Amino acid sequence: MAGLRTLAAAALLSLLAAGPPAKAQAPLTENIQIGLSTDNVSITAGFSGADLTIFGSLENADPLVARQGRYDVIVVLEGPARPVVVRRKDRVLGVWVNLESETFENVPVSYSVATTRPLQDVTDPNSYKQLSLGASNLYLQPADAEDSPATIEEFTAALRERKAATGLYSENVGGVQFLSQNLFRATVRLAPNVPVGTHKARAFLFKSGLFIKESSAQLEIRKSGFEQSIFRVAHDYSFLYGVFAVSLAMLTGWLGRLVFRKD
């Protein structure tokens, strides 16, 4: 009996030392991070457009999913939001005149997209609408919500077409490339008329068509050189700049009259 009690006590001590059964560790969720080589870009009057490279990495990526190519990344560079007026011209008595217009609030002045694959191959259209991802899925808020839906839709489509025609809204299919299972590089386009101000770079991670995570970083685009000096003076000393501009125009007109006058 003493031997049995000793054996039972030893077994109990072994169980207590082992502690409670370990819980199964939950798989880590994938994450995405991006980084910019610079946080500001300076442009001059001769700026003719450029490609901006953004590097990123996947954290806790599943090696099997990565090998199968079931991770997709969409990178967006979105410009500052400003009000935009869209006008429609019609021919009246042989002259083109503005007849109707629609004002939209908080419209991204520029919107560049880079993707691993064509957008229709990454996920379904409803996901893009929920994320407001892609130029065709941006919500462009009209200033007058009481206008007819048909009119708002017509002017919205015209605004998107105009932005695409000027290169401010662009899409670079294949612009995101995986350098390894975890690292990728994205190339987004800066149009020649890219606006100055604070731009936001955003990266969206998809796994087998499902949205997983988003990461963002900021980029400042500003003018440099003589144009920047004029821009700064015009904003900091607007009254004096206005007086100088009017005086310069009057002086130029007076000099032109002297040069081209007929005796």
Side-chain angles (χ1 to χ4, degrees):
M1 290 296 292
L4 290 177
R5 285 198 296 269
T6 302
L7 182 61
L12 180 60
L13 289 174
S14 300
L15 290 175
L16 291 176
K23 295 182 180 179
Q25 186 174 4
L28 297 175
T29 304
E30 295 94 334
N31 198 6
I32 185 171
Q33 299 292 337
I34 58 174
L36 307 178
S37 58
T38 178
D39 57 0
N40 64 80
V41 174
S42 298
I43 59 177
T44 62
F47 181 72
S48 58
D51 289 338
L52 176 68
T53 301
I54 300 173
F55 291 94
S57 64
L58 305 186
E59 298 176 354
N60 306 321
D62 187 329
L64 178 60
V65 176
R67 286 196 299 270
Q68 294 175 344
R70 290 191 285 128
Y71 282 123
D72 283 290
V73 176
I74 299 177
V75 176
V76 174
L77 183 65
E78 184 175 329
R82 298 169 185 168
V84 174
V85 180
V86 181
R87 294 182 174 87
R88 179 170 61 193
K89 290 185 176 182
D90 287 315
R91 199 176 183 89
V92 178
L93 300 177
V95 180
W96 289 97
V97 295
N98 295 322
L99 292 183
E100 293 185 70
S101 65
E102 188 74 41
T103 301
F104 294 91
E105 299 177 348
N106 300 324
V107 177
V109 181
S110 60
Y111 194 86
S112 301
V113 180
T115 67
T116 49
R117 295 185 292 166
L119 288 174
Q120 65 269 20
D121 296 337
V122 176
T123 187
D124 59 274
N126 289 330
S127 296
Y128 291 129
K129 290 181 180 179
Q130 293 173 359
L131 296 170
S132 190
L133 178 56
S136 59
N137 297 301
L138 287 174
Y139 175 63
L140 305 179
Q141 180 181 357
D144 188 359
E146 296 182 357
D147 289 343
S148 67
T151 300
I152 294 176
E153 183 178 356
E154 178 185 0
F155 279 91
T156 300
L159 174 57
R160 289 196 176 103
E161 291 176 2
R162 181 60 182 167
K163 290 287 189 181
T166 57
L168 288 172
Y169 283 13
S170 63
E171 181 180 317
N172 185 13
V173 176
V176 179
Q177 297 179 345
F178 278 95
L179 306 177
S180 66
Q181 290 186 353
N182 298 327
L183 301 178
F184 65 88
R185 177 183 62 200
T187 303
V188 293
R189 294 170 182 153
L190 299 179
N193 53 342
V194 63
V196 297
T198 302
H199 295 241
K200 187 175 184 180
R202 305 167 66 192
F204 298 82
L205 174 63
F206 293 86
K207 176 182 177 182
S208 301
L210 298 177
F211 171 67
I212 303 297
K213 280 287 184 178
E214 174 188 352
S215 180
S216 64
Q218 286 190 343
L219 173 71
E220 190 74 22
I221 296 181
R222 59 191 180 189
K223 294 182 180 293
S224 63
F226 180 72
E227 295 81 6
Q228 173 63 15
S229 301
I230 296 297
F231 178 83
R232 195 172 294 167
V233 170
H235 282 73
D236 295 343
Y237 307 98
S238 56
F239 177 76
L240 295 177
Y241 178 80
V243 172
F244 172 77
V246 172
S247 302
L248 181 61
M250 293 175 63
L251 178 62
T252 303
W254 178 72
L255 290 176
R257 182 181 178 186
L258 289 179
V259 173
F260 297 103
R261 71 179 179 178
K262 295 181 179 180
D263 295 332

